[in-house]
Amino acid sequence: MAKYTIALDAMGGDLAPAVPVEAAVIAAREYDAAVALVGDEAAVSAELAKHDAGNLAVQVVPSEGVVSEDEAPARALLSKPRASIAVAVGMVKVGQAHAAISMGSTGGTMAAAVLALGMFPGLERPTLGGPFIGLAPETTIIDLGANVDCKPAQMLSFGALGASFERVYHGKESPRVGLLSVGSEDGKGNKQVQEAFPLFRASGLNFVGNVEGHEIFADKADVLVCDGFVGNVLLKYTEGLAAAAGRYLASRLGSDSPAVQAIAGLASAAEGGGGPLFGVNGVVIAGHGRSSAQSIARSVGLACFALDRNLIETMRDDLAQALVRAEVGSEQA
Amino acid sequence: MAKYTIALDAMGGDLAPAVPVEAAVIAAREYDAAVALVGDEAAVSAELAKHDAGNLAVQVVPSEGVVSEDEAPARALLSKPRASIAVAVGMVKVGQAHAAISMGSTGGTMAAAVLALGMFPGLERPTLGGPFIGLAPETTIIDLGANVDCKPAQMLSFGALGASFERVYHGKESPRVGLLSVGSEDGKGNKQVQEAFPLFRASGLNFVGNVEGHEIFADKADVLVCDGFVGNVLLKYTEGLAAAAGRYLASRLGSDSPAVQAIAGLASAAEGGGGPLFGVNGVVIAGHGRSSAQSIARSVGLACFALDRNLIETMRDDLAQALVRAEVGSEQA
């Protein structure tokens, strides 16, 4: 019997159910995991029948409906309580699965996870971060759009969670945490950054201070904290820029130029699969709607890794510690 | 006699005084303008002597000291009231020059311009905007870092000033003005954007609503408004990304690859000379510290153009109109 059972939202993402089903088959072969494909039973079973999966630990778990990108997540979950993402995280809640994965609406995944699993103490909302630029693959930028208008304590929580992830996932012993700002000197920035700064300093994190926009490529920090408004603009700007640069090079050099391939590779490296939600009480991975089967399968591997290393417990402890230290520090200041 | 006299800060920028002096010689040949080189008399005269400028309308105006990048602008101007930028904008104030140009500290140029010339009614600080991405050369992004923690009315002023500039400079009759945000639907964004939105709607500007990060390359707006924190992060991020992409392509394809040249051309197109300060009562152009002589000379041409077209008066009128309309609109709402 497989070590872990992973609930995979078979209806989420632009390429569902075909690509999630293919991913389940790959993952069940590659990892010590059984995959529960959550979705419309007929559609998912029909897709599954196209694969030679008879001996694999892949099952279908029925659900009704899906939360789509253009819906308000909370309202959609209210009207579709048996939607695929709700059933998937519900399996984690009742112990039928160890982790859940979806390439569907990120807002839907976050809302469903919060409702079913709850959040770490001290958090108001979960967050999402990750390395999104192929040119700075080792830098986790957080938050990428889940939280706008962040309070300074929220930004500190992003830093603590991101550092925890870097420590567990990339094996960095003391990840460097920076604040994205408009000047590298202490005290530079908008009010939000200026107020967050002393909290970071007192937090016990390996805080390296402010990091400017161009320094994202200079390996100054392992975790770069910003408000979700800024992170989301940067993320989407990068996607648009990569596409525009590709078109520009293709028009100048021809579309079969090696440079065009190189730029395209860089852009696709940026959307490789998914990352875990930071701050919910369980392993829940959200990914890009156009992820390939290979990269969704890698998310199953990531979930197994997170479970093996107790990622959630580590993050919860690290967050609590950083928040307490920052509070004590600011009372002493 | 030349139509205009332009005061050029000969001490400002990384390549001063040699490059500003060379720029003055080029500009005096190319434009109907006399250039007053403001700087250390001995150093500037020595540079000028290297050129065959005997018949050109180039003079040297002595100053003492310079405001450097790493100084707090206001304090520096207080301790060095005869600094080159102060003397240059002072010439505009007393009518000895029609416009001033500096490639030195942008903060210093703004502070000196505000002190000497004052601001448009309704503004607290001037702003700086411009197309900074070679891939979206027709989109003016504003503010690029002069103002962080903007109030909604300030953002409206950026939109009005940017639209005015687009109308005068690029000849666009009714420039499209957008708000940079994290979702394209009305109501998406952080508090700042959500509060600015109805002001823009009521302003009489050709407001196209929210524009997302990737849509910067989709020609949705001629003027894209954002808080200076966001604009500055984007500006510097783009500079860093262009450099990193160049290094990446060079390492993959060799440094003599046409792709590397193409990317480098794109990056340098982004730092082409200078742009006018928006919101001060006079033509004052601030530019990149590493601008070439050719591009500084083009700034002289830009100053002449702005004077010919009454850019300042037009901007002041347009701003007043937009602010009044937005106020009336929000009282009615």
Side-chain angles (χ1 to χ4, degrees), chain A residues 204-290:
Chain A
L205 295 171
N206 180 8
F207 180 50
V208 297
N210 289 339
V211 174
E212 294 188 76
H214 57 284
E215 296 175 326
I216 294 178
F217 307 95
D219 191 30
K220 280 189 69 173
D222 302 300
V223 179
L224 200 47
V225 173
C226 60
D227 185 279
F229 186 88
V230 177
N232 189 264
V233 166
L234 271 182
L235 171 66
K236 290 180 178 160
Y237 176 75
T238 305
E239 288 176 1
L241 184 57
R247 288 193 300 271
Y248 169 80
L249 289 176
S251 75
R252 298 255 309 216
L253 308 170
S255 55
D256 55 350
S257 145
V260 176
Q261 314 297 327
I263 287 280
L266 213 54
S268 71
E271 45 184 67
L277 298 189
F278 292 176
V280 293
N281 292 312
V283 174
V284 179
I285 294 181
H288 200 285
R290 301 193 63 78

Side-chain angles (χ1 to χ4, degrees), chain A residues 110 122-130 140-166 177-179 192 196 200 205 222-231 278-279 315 318-319 322-323:
Chain A
M110 292 181 74
L123 280 190
E124 289 173 32
R125 286 169 60 86
T127 177
L128 259 176
T140 284
I141 300 182
I142 181 169
D143 177 287
L144 293 179
N147 301 275
V148 302
D149 293 312
C150 291
K151 290 168 210 143
Q154 252 177 306
M155 300 184 77
L156 176 61
S157 69
F158 301 161
L161 294 168
S164 212
F165 181 71
E166 284 292 322
V177 179
L179 271 166
Q192 189 185 45
F200 277 81
L205 295 171
D222 302 300
V223 179
L224 200 47
V225 173
C226 60
D227 185 279
F229 186 88
V230 177
F278 292 176
M315 282 185 144
D318 286 355
L319 174 64
L323 290 178

Side-chain angles (χ1 to χ4, degrees), chain B residues 142-232:
Chain B
I142 181 170
D143 177 286
L144 292 178
N147 300 274
V148 301
D149 293 311
C150 290
K151 291 170 210 141
Q154 250 178 309
M155 299 185 78
L156 176 62
S157 70
F158 301 162
L161 294 168
S164 211
F165 181 70
E166 284 292 322
R167 202 151 56 83
V168 171
Y169 188 65
H170 285 128
K172 294 176 183 170
E173 204 162 308
S174 180
R176 298 159 301 163
V177 179
L179 271 166
L180 185 59
S181 190
V182 294
S184 54
E185 305 87 354
D186 296 8
K188 284 282 176 87
N190 56 8
K191 271 187 212 137
Q192 189 186 45
V193 168
Q194 289 175 342
E195 288 175 22
F197 199 97
L199 298 185
F200 277 81
R201 185 131 279 174
S203 67
L205 295 171
N206 180 9
F207 179 51
V208 297
N210 288 340
V211 174
E212 294 188 76
H214 57 283
E215 297 175 327
I216 295 177
F217 307 96
D219 191 30
K220 280 188 70 173
D222 302 301
V223 179
L224 201 47
V225 173
C226 60
D227 185 279
F229 186 88
V230 177
N232 189 263

Side-chain angles (χ1 to χ4, degrees), chain A residues 32 47 163 183 192 218 277 292 300:
Chain A
D32 192 1
E47 279 299 330
Q192 189 185 45
L277 298 189
S292 67
V300 174

Side-chain angles (χ1 to χ4, degrees), chain B residues 275-294:
Chain B
L277 299 188
F278 292 175
V280 293
N281 293 311
V283 174
V284 179
I285 293 180
H288 201 286
R290 301 194 63 80
S291 296
S292 66
Q294 280 294 350

